[in-house]
Amino acid sequence: MNSGYNLEAIEAAPLKDDLDIVIPTIRNLDFLEQWRPFFQQYHLIIVQDGDPSVKIKVPEGYDYELYNRNDINRILGPRASCISFKDGGCRCFGYMVSKKKYIFTIDDDCFVAKDPSGKEINVIAQHIRNLETPSTPYFFNTLYDPFREGTDFVRGYPFSLREGVPTAISHGLWLNIPDYDAPTQLVKPRERNTRYVDAVMTIPKGVLYPMCGMNLAFNRELIGPAMYFALMGEGQPIARYDDMWAGWATKVVCDHLGFGVKTGLPYLWHSKASNPFVNLKKEHSGIHWQEEMIPFFQNVQLTKEADTAAKCYLELSKLVREKLVKVDPYFVKMADAMVAWIEAWEELNPPSQKNDASAK
Amino acid sequence: MNSGYNLEAIEAAPLKDDLDIVIPTIRNLDFLEQWRPFFQQYHLIIVQDGDPSVKIKVPEGYDYELYNRNDINRILGPRASCISFKDGGCRCFGYMVSKKKYIFTIDDDCFVAKDPSGKEINVIAQHIRNLETPSTPYFFNTLYDPFREGTDFVRGYPFSLREGVPTAISHGLWLNIPDYDAPTQLVKPRERNTRYVDAVMTIPKGVLYPMCGMNLAFNRELIGPAMYFALMGEGQPIARYDDMWAGWATKVVCDHLGFGVKTGLPYLWHSKASNPFVNLKKEHSGIHWQEEMIPFFQNVQLTKEADTAAKCYLELSKLVREKLVKVDPYFVKMADAMVAWIEAWEELNPPSQKNDASAK
């Protein structure tokens, strides 16, 4: 498909003024040393989780801003309670304070992976390629991403759908330690992902998927207000579902607004598995509740009036309050947090700033 | 995922008594020489298209039955009109006369491909692996086929859906000449598919895809009666949509009955592009009509009473007659042919023979 995009130019100048890297952490960011050739030209937003008195070291030469819990409380006031504490979900504060078009977020136990030819993978360049080319959510293309060089739409793909739709989310994958839940970690402690699947594909409309926050990029103008990593961690009965929640919500909102979600390349190297016993404790409510949360999201109907990500998300908060409270009273707190999140987002990103663009 | 299937055993003894290879052709089957290590232990059903007086040569050592147009007319009588003439769609006659559980169908310009390690790909072994392991149509797994060795369901995949559903269809891909329509062939005459994507995935429920008949396997007990390659070719206003039609119809029926459809591996080597000028003539109505046929299939609602593939297909024929006639009067002939196809199928495959199994 001749998409009209200059892929070489994207590769050469990967929009360094249009993308922030958001990193949640509790430790020194030594992992950035290995990423230097790929990340150093970008601005970092570091969200420090846990004890705010800990001093986090960032390798020299990086341009960054760092927020600890005290900063979050100061900036958001009473609404700060919507940002999770002692949970990777705190990263979404970084999405809110960014002023860029694109966000790339990564965990600090992830490193540069190599493709099968041995070449180091430029994750950001691939995410940008995914985000800057259209998605095709309305019909499946058997040769995968039709906008990639050397491939196209196959015979039988309707011509009326070949223009595609704007891409809002690019979900990357992980070599080495796969993103398994605690039960699978316990059953298969030695399983490693060694398979490099050379594909990017659109997740079709109406289909949900487990979105992992470890290697994720998105267009915050299109979908930012729905990319809330939920209320998890300390003080809440659930953890490790922050990204899942955001994945279900953003997919429903993208489907409603006509935006696309891609998954596949780029891979990074996930270095170590988190403790499955600790994870099991964090996850057990989620493992139970996802059996009701997922059907809830599968059946969400948003109205025509919801024509921006923020409006969609407020409608979603009402539906959560109404329908998920029967699962657990926690979902009332969640609905409150969703509203606080949108209020905080809009305060930090007034509409005049072009954020939260309409779908029209 | 510990699927309970012995994949090694499948590899070693790939169900040779349970699978027929169906080949439509107009020429000597010299291409079978290269396939000998992989195909010779299977029974072939050859459907000779075009002039029945032509004598087709089959390499020695193969066990086969061959049907030309005279045979089809003799066996099906007046219902023979549902089998296309001068179109690859004639192959579906072979599905009807088979008595096996599985069908693999291949075009005679397709050869053995190699995987990236240089090993020749055993297409049938891979198709059987796809068909004998469950599909997961209700939620997308980002690490692709969870039943493959070395991978599993990722964090956030509902446990209630991990059993999967029976797989009815395995759609394989093509290296070298991609399956493009005539306009794309004309625009990109030199494009070759060189990308080996090492993945098998379930096409989610509710999502249609362009099913190509070049490298296709299916479970005829589950889906056979819906695998009608439509009325195309000589005497009809449309060609080269036989497999597309079957793909839309079988996907809708699989979704309704709770069966799965996979696409991806195995690859074969597609040796030569057909003439794009001839193809354009054959395809032009289809290119136009698919813009209405696809929405039609996307919106099909089958009833609870339709609990077998044959019953679903008869319901579908009524909907075609009712809703597609506005596109072209041809669709009345198509609806008639769909009914004739099911009548012929049931005559050759009486229910006692365990074909057309209920979804229950």
PDB file of all heavy atoms in Angstrom, chain A residues 263-286:
ATOM      1  N   THR A 263      -1.065  -4.189  17.549  1.00  0.00           N
ATOM      2  CA  THR A 263      -0.200  -4.964  18.435  1.00  0.00           C
ATOM      3  C   THR A 263       0.811  -5.719  17.600  1.00  0.00           C
ATOM      4  O   THR A 263       0.605  -5.948  16.418  1.00  0.00           O
ATOM      5  CB  THR A 263      -1.031  -5.915  19.326  1.00  0.00           C
ATOM      6  OG1 THR A 263      -0.156  -6.572  20.259  1.00  0.00           O
ATOM      7  CG2 THR A 263      -1.742  -6.971  18.506  1.00  0.00           C
ATOM      8  N   GLY A 264       1.929  -6.080  18.237  1.00  0.00           N
ATOM      9  CA  GLY A 264       2.969  -6.848  17.549  1.00  0.00           C
ATOM     10  C   GLY A 264       4.322  -6.205  17.780  1.00  0.00           C
ATOM     11  O   GLY A 264       4.706  -5.941  18.921  1.00  0.00           O
ATOM     12  N   LEU A 265       5.061  -5.923  16.692  1.00  0.00           N
ATOM     13  CA  LEU A 265       6.330  -5.213  16.809  1.00  0.00           C
ATOM     14  C   LEU A 265       6.070  -3.848  17.435  1.00  0.00           C
ATOM     15  O   LEU A 265       4.991  -3.297  17.246  1.00  0.00           O
ATOM     16  CB  LEU A 265       6.960  -5.007  15.427  1.00  0.00           C
ATOM     17  CG  LEU A 265       7.217  -6.264  14.592  1.00  0.00           C
ATOM     18  CD1 LEU A 265       7.899  -5.865  13.280  1.00  0.00           C
ATOM     19  CD2 LEU A 265       8.032  -7.291  15.334  1.00  0.00           C
ATOM     20  N   PRO A 266       7.039  -3.287  18.178  1.00  0.00           N
ATOM     21  CA  PRO A 266       8.404  -3.765  18.409  1.00  0.00           C
ATOM     22  C   PRO A 266       8.527  -4.630  19.667  1.00  0.00           C
ATOM     23  O   PRO A 266       7.737  -4.486  20.605  1.00  0.00           O
ATOM     24  CB  PRO A 266       9.161  -2.448  18.657  1.00  0.00           C
ATOM     25  CG  PRO A 266       8.148  -1.580  19.343  1.00  0.00           C
ATOM     26  CD  PRO A 266       6.822  -1.941  18.726  1.00  0.00           C
ATOM     27  N   TYR A 267       9.497  -5.494  19.656  1.00  0.00           N
ATOM     28  CA  TYR A 267       9.856  -6.243  20.860  1.00  0.00           C
ATOM     29  C   TYR A 267      10.894  -5.488  21.665  1.00  0.00           C
ATOM     30  O   TYR A 267      11.746  -4.794  21.111  1.00  0.00           O
ATOM     31  CB  TYR A 267      10.478  -7.595  20.485  1.00  0.00           C
ATOM     32  CG  TYR A 267       9.483  -8.626  20.003  1.00  0.00           C
ATOM     33  CD1 TYR A 267       9.181  -8.751  18.658  1.00  0.00           C
ATOM     34  CD2 TYR A 267       8.875  -9.487  20.908  1.00  0.00           C
ATOM     35  CE1 TYR A 267       8.268  -9.711  18.210  1.00  0.00           C
ATOM     36  CE2 TYR A 267       7.963 -10.448  20.471  1.00  0.00           C
ATOM     37  CZ  TYR A 267       7.667 -10.553  19.124  1.00  0.00           C
ATOM     38  OH  TYR A 267       6.778 -11.495  18.698  1.00  0.00           O
ATOM     39  N   LEU A 268      10.832  -5.669  22.995  1.00  0.00           N
ATOM     40  CA  LEU A 268      11.974  -5.323  23.836  1.00  0.00           C
ATOM     41  C   LEU A 268      12.317  -6.560  24.657  1.00  0.00           C
ATOM     42  O   LEU A 268      11.660  -7.607  24.530  1.00  0.00           O
ATOM     43  CB  LEU A 268      11.693  -4.087  24.702  1.00  0.00           C
ATOM     44  CG  LEU A 268      10.381  -3.980  25.469  1.00  0.00           C
ATOM     45  CD1 LEU A 268      10.225  -5.063  26.474  1.00  0.00           C
ATOM     46  CD2 LEU A 268      10.269  -2.614  26.116  1.00  0.00           C
ATOM     47  N   TRP A 269      13.378  -6.449  25.431  1.00  0.00           N
ATOM     48  CA  TRP A 269      13.878  -7.576  26.218  1.00  0.00           C
ATOM     49  C   TRP A 269      13.448  -7.389  27.670  1.00  0.00           C
ATOM     50  O   TRP A 269      13.913  -6.469  28.335  1.00  0.00           O
ATOM     51  CB  TRP A 269      15.405  -7.636  26.113  1.00  0.00           C
ATOM     52  CG  TRP A 269      16.021  -8.783  26.849  1.00  0.00           C
ATOM     53  CD1 TRP A 269      16.539  -8.768  28.126  1.00  0.00           C
ATOM     54  CD2 TRP A 269      16.222 -10.110  26.363  1.00  0.00           C
ATOM     55  NE1 TRP A 269      17.032 -10.002  28.448  1.00  0.00           N
ATOM     56  CE2 TRP A 269      16.851 -10.851  27.389  1.00  0.00           C
ATOM     57  CE3 TRP A 269      15.933 -10.748  25.153  1.00  0.00           C
ATOM     58  CZ2 TRP A 269      17.200 -12.199  27.243  1.00  0.00           C
ATOM     59  CZ3 TRP A 269      16.279 -12.081  25.006  1.00  0.00           C
ATOM     60  CH2 TRP A 269      16.901 -12.795  26.042  1.00  0.00           C
ATOM     61  N   HIS A 270      12.541  -8.222  28.123  1.00  0.00           N
ATOM     62  CA  HIS A 270      12.060  -8.134  29.504  1.00  0.00           C
ATOM     63  C   HIS A 270      12.970  -9.003  30.360  1.00  0.00           C
ATOM     64  O   HIS A 270      12.996 -10.219  30.212  1.00  0.00           O
ATOM     65  CB  HIS A 270      10.602  -8.602  29.562  1.00  0.00           C
ATOM     66  CG  HIS A 270       9.980  -8.460  30.911  1.00  0.00           C
ATOM     67  ND1 HIS A 270       8.942  -9.233  31.345  1.00  0.00           N
ATOM     68  CD2 HIS A 270      10.272  -7.616  31.939  1.00  0.00           C
ATOM     69  CE1 HIS A 270       8.615  -8.892  32.572  1.00  0.00           C
ATOM     70  NE2 HIS A 270       9.400  -7.911  32.956  1.00  0.00           N
ATOM     71  N   SER A 271      13.711  -8.347  31.277  1.00  0.00           N
ATOM     72  CA  SER A 271      14.843  -9.055  31.893  1.00  0.00           C
ATOM     73  C   SER A 271      14.464  -9.985  33.022  1.00  0.00           C
ATOM     74  O   SER A 271      15.064 -11.039  33.178  1.00  0.00           O
ATOM     75  CB  SER A 271      15.870  -8.046  32.385  1.00  0.00           C
ATOM     76  OG  SER A 271      15.319  -7.295  33.443  1.00  0.00           O
ATOM     77  N   LYS A 272      13.495  -9.603  33.839  1.00  0.00           N
ATOM     78  CA  LYS A 272      13.250 -10.520  34.955  1.00  0.00           C
ATOM     79  C   LYS A 272      11.773 -10.614  35.327  1.00  0.00           C
ATOM     80  O   LYS A 272      11.028  -9.634  35.297  1.00  0.00           O
ATOM     81  CB  LYS A 272      14.086 -10.128  36.171  1.00  0.00           C
ATOM     82  CG  LYS A 272      13.855  -8.762  36.735  1.00  0.00           C
ATOM     83  CD  LYS A 272      14.633  -8.620  38.060  1.00  0.00           C
ATOM     84  CE  LYS A 272      14.241  -7.318  38.723  1.00  0.00           C
ATOM     85  NZ  LYS A 272      14.824  -6.157  38.042  1.00  0.00           N
ATOM     86  N   ALA A 273      11.395 -11.835  35.716  1.00  0.00           N
ATOM     87  CA  ALA A 273      10.021 -12.066  36.141  1.00  0.00           C
ATOM     88  C   ALA A 273       9.843 -11.504  37.545  1.00  0.00           C
ATOM     89  O   ALA A 273      10.717 -11.661  38.401  1.00  0.00           O
ATOM     90  CB  ALA A 273       9.726 -13.554  36.132  1.00  0.00           C
ATOM     91  N   SER A 274       8.724 -10.860  37.780  1.00  0.00           N
ATOM     92  CA  SER A 274       8.418 -10.437  39.139  1.00  0.00           C
ATOM     93  C   SER A 274       8.014 -11.660  39.955  1.00  0.00           C
ATOM     94  O   SER A 274       7.719 -12.727  39.405  1.00  0.00           O
ATOM     95  CB  SER A 274       7.311  -9.383  39.115  1.00  0.00           C
ATOM     96  OG  SER A 274       6.283  -9.757  38.219  1.00  0.00           O
ATOM     97  N   ASN A 275       7.997 -11.507  41.271  1.00  0.00           N
ATOM     98  CA  ASN A 275       7.765 -12.635  42.180  1.00  0.00           C
ATOM     99  C   ASN A 275       6.336 -13.168  42.045  1.00  0.00           C
ATOM    100  O   ASN A 275       5.370 -12.450  42.321  1.00  0.00           O
ATOM    101  CB  ASN A 275       8.028 -12.150  43.609  1.00  0.00           C
ATOM    102  CG  ASN A 275       7.920 -13.278  44.608  1.00  0.00           C
ATOM    103  OD1 ASN A 275       6.998 -14.093  44.546  1.00  0.00           O
ATOM    104  ND2 ASN A 275       8.876 -13.332  45.519  1.00  0.00           N
ATOM    105  N   PRO A 276       6.191 -14.424  41.637  1.00  0.00           N
ATOM    106  CA  PRO A 276       4.836 -14.937  41.384  1.00  0.00           C
ATOM    107  C   PRO A 276       3.991 -15.042  42.648  1.00  0.00           C
ATOM    108  O   PRO A 276       2.761 -14.948  42.581  1.00  0.00           O
ATOM    109  CB  PRO A 276       5.079 -16.324  40.774  1.00  0.00           C
ATOM    110  CG  PRO A 276       6.460 -16.705  41.168  1.00  0.00           C
ATOM    111  CD  PRO A 276       7.225 -15.423  41.336  1.00  0.00           C
ATOM    112  N   PHE A 277       4.627 -15.231  43.806  1.00  0.00           N
ATOM    113  CA  PHE A 277       3.854 -15.328  45.053  1.00  0.00           C
ATOM    114  C   PHE A 277       3.275 -13.968  45.422  1.00  0.00           C
ATOM    115  O   PHE A 277       2.096 -13.843  45.766  1.00  0.00           O
ATOM    116  CB  PHE A 277       4.735 -15.888  46.176  1.00  0.00           C
ATOM    117  CG  PHE A 277       5.248 -17.267  45.861  1.00  0.00           C
ATOM    118  CD1 PHE A 277       6.509 -17.456  45.314  1.00  0.00           C
ATOM    119  CD2 PHE A 277       4.443 -18.390  46.071  1.00  0.00           C
ATOM    120  CE1 PHE A 277       6.969 -18.725  44.992  1.00  0.00           C
ATOM    121  CE2 PHE A 277       4.898 -19.661  45.756  1.00  0.00           C
ATOM    122  CZ  PHE A 277       6.164 -19.829  45.219  1.00  0.00           C
ATOM    123  N   VAL A 278       4.111 -12.946  45.297  1.00  0.00           N
ATOM    124  CA  VAL A 278       3.628 -11.579  45.517  1.00  0.00           C
ATOM    125  C   VAL A 278       2.551 -11.237  44.485  1.00  0.00           C
ATOM    126  O   VAL A 278       1.493 -10.682  44.806  1.00  0.00           O
ATOM    127  CB  VAL A 278       4.810 -10.581  45.421  1.00  0.00           C
ATOM    128  CG1 VAL A 278       4.298  -9.139  45.489  1.00  0.00           C
ATOM    129  CG2 VAL A 278       5.834 -10.847  46.520  1.00  0.00           C
ATOM    130  N   ASN A 279       2.810 -11.608  43.243  1.00  0.00           N
ATOM    131  CA  ASN A 279       1.839 -11.303  42.182  1.00  0.00           C
ATOM    132  C   ASN A 279       0.494 -11.960  42.439  1.00  0.00           C
ATOM    133  O   ASN A 279      -0.557 -11.376  42.176  1.00  0.00           O
ATOM    134  CB  ASN A 279       2.375 -11.764  40.818  1.00  0.00           C
ATOM    135  CG  ASN A 279       3.525 -10.890  40.337  1.00  0.00           C
ATOM    136  OD1 ASN A 279       3.770  -9.816  40.888  1.00  0.00           O
ATOM    137  ND2 ASN A 279       4.234 -11.355  39.328  1.00  0.00           N
ATOM    138  N   LEU A 280       0.550 -13.196  42.939  1.00  0.00           N
ATOM    139  CA  LEU A 280      -0.699 -13.921  43.172  1.00  0.00           C
ATOM    140  C   LEU A 280      -1.566 -13.174  44.179  1.00  0.00           C
ATOM    141  O   LEU A 280      -2.774 -13.054  44.025  1.00  0.00           O
ATOM    142  CB  LEU A 280      -0.399 -15.341  43.666  1.00  0.00           C
ATOM    143  CG  LEU A 280      -1.601 -16.284  43.700  1.00  0.00           C
ATOM    144  CD1 LEU A 280      -2.191 -16.470  42.309  1.00  0.00           C
ATOM    145  CD2 LEU A 280      -1.198 -17.647  44.277  1.00  0.00           C
ATOM    146  N   LYS A 281      -0.901 -12.653  45.220  1.00  0.00           N
ATOM    147  CA  LYS A 281      -1.627 -11.892  46.223  1.00  0.00           C
ATOM    148  C   LYS A 281      -2.245 -10.633  45.601  1.00  0.00           C
ATOM    149  O   LYS A 281      -3.402 -10.290  45.861  1.00  0.00           O
ATOM    150  CB  LYS A 281      -0.648 -11.500  47.345  1.00  0.00           C
ATOM    151  CG  LYS A 281      -1.340 -10.944  48.563  1.00  0.00           C
ATOM    152  CD  LYS A 281      -0.372 -10.663  49.698  1.00  0.00           C
ATOM    153  CE  LYS A 281      -1.072  -9.727  50.684  1.00  0.00           C
ATOM    154  NZ  LYS A 281      -0.111  -8.914  51.434  1.00  0.00           N
ATOM    155  N   LYS A 282      -1.460  -9.964  44.746  1.00  0.00           N
ATOM    156  CA  LYS A 282      -1.963  -8.739  44.110  1.00  0.00           C
ATOM    157  C   LYS A 282      -3.089  -9.018  43.123  1.00  0.00           C
ATOM    158  O   LYS A 282      -3.979  -8.207  42.931  1.00  0.00           O
ATOM    159  CB  LYS A 282      -0.826  -8.052  43.334  1.00  0.00           C
ATOM    160  CG  LYS A 282       0.264  -7.435  44.197  1.00  0.00           C
ATOM    161  CD  LYS A 282       1.317  -6.806  43.291  1.00  0.00           C
ATOM    162  CE  LYS A 282       2.398  -6.092  44.089  1.00  0.00           C
ATOM    163  NZ  LYS A 282       3.474  -5.585  43.196  1.00  0.00           N
ATOM    164  N   GLU A 283      -2.981 -10.170  42.457  1.00  0.00           N
ATOM    165  CA  GLU A 283      -3.866 -10.428  41.318  1.00  0.00           C
ATOM    166  C   GLU A 283      -5.175 -11.114  41.665  1.00  0.00           C
ATOM    167  O   GLU A 283      -6.095 -11.110  40.853  1.00  0.00           O
ATOM    168  CB  GLU A 283      -3.167 -11.344  40.302  1.00  0.00           C
ATOM    169  CG  GLU A 283      -2.132 -10.686  39.456  1.00  0.00           C
ATOM    170  CD  GLU A 283      -1.403 -11.706  38.572  1.00  0.00           C
ATOM    171  OE1 GLU A 283      -1.882 -12.856  38.445  1.00  0.00           O
ATOM    172  OE2 GLU A 283      -0.352 -11.358  38.037  1.00  0.00           O
ATOM    173  N   HIS A 284      -5.246 -11.761  42.855  1.00  0.00           N
ATOM    174  CA  HIS A 284      -6.338 -12.725  42.984  1.00  0.00           C
ATOM    175  C   HIS A 284      -7.726 -12.109  42.789  1.00  0.00           C
ATOM    176  O   HIS A 284      -8.580 -12.724  42.163  1.00  0.00           O
ATOM    177  CB  HIS A 284      -6.230 -13.529  44.290  1.00  0.00           C
ATOM    178  CG  HIS A 284      -6.614 -12.748  45.506  1.00  0.00           C
ATOM    179  ND1 HIS A 284      -5.716 -11.946  46.169  1.00  0.00           N
ATOM    180  CD2 HIS A 284      -7.788 -12.616  46.150  1.00  0.00           C
ATOM    181  CE1 HIS A 284      -6.327 -11.366  47.188  1.00  0.00           C
ATOM    182  NE2 HIS A 284      -7.584 -11.753  47.195  1.00  0.00           N
ATOM    183  N   SER A 285      -7.929 -10.889  43.263  1.00  0.00           N
ATOM    184  CA  SER A 285      -9.245 -10.274  43.016  1.00  0.00           C
ATOM    185  C   SER A 285      -9.446 -10.010  41.531  1.00  0.00           C
ATOM    186  O   SER A 285     -10.538 -10.202  40.992  1.00  0.00           O
ATOM    187  CB  SER A 285      -9.375  -8.937  43.755  1.00  0.00           C
ATOM    188  OG  SER A 285      -9.201  -9.113  45.122  1.00  0.00           O
ATOM    189  N   GLY A 286      -8.386  -9.579  40.890  1.00  0.00           N
ATOM    190  CA  GLY A 286      -8.478  -9.276  39.462  1.00  0.00           C
ATOM    191  C   GLY A 286      -8.789 -10.513  38.639  1.00  0.00           C
ATOM    192  O   GLY A 286      -9.589 -10.468  37.700  1.00  0.00           O
TER     193      GLY A 286
END
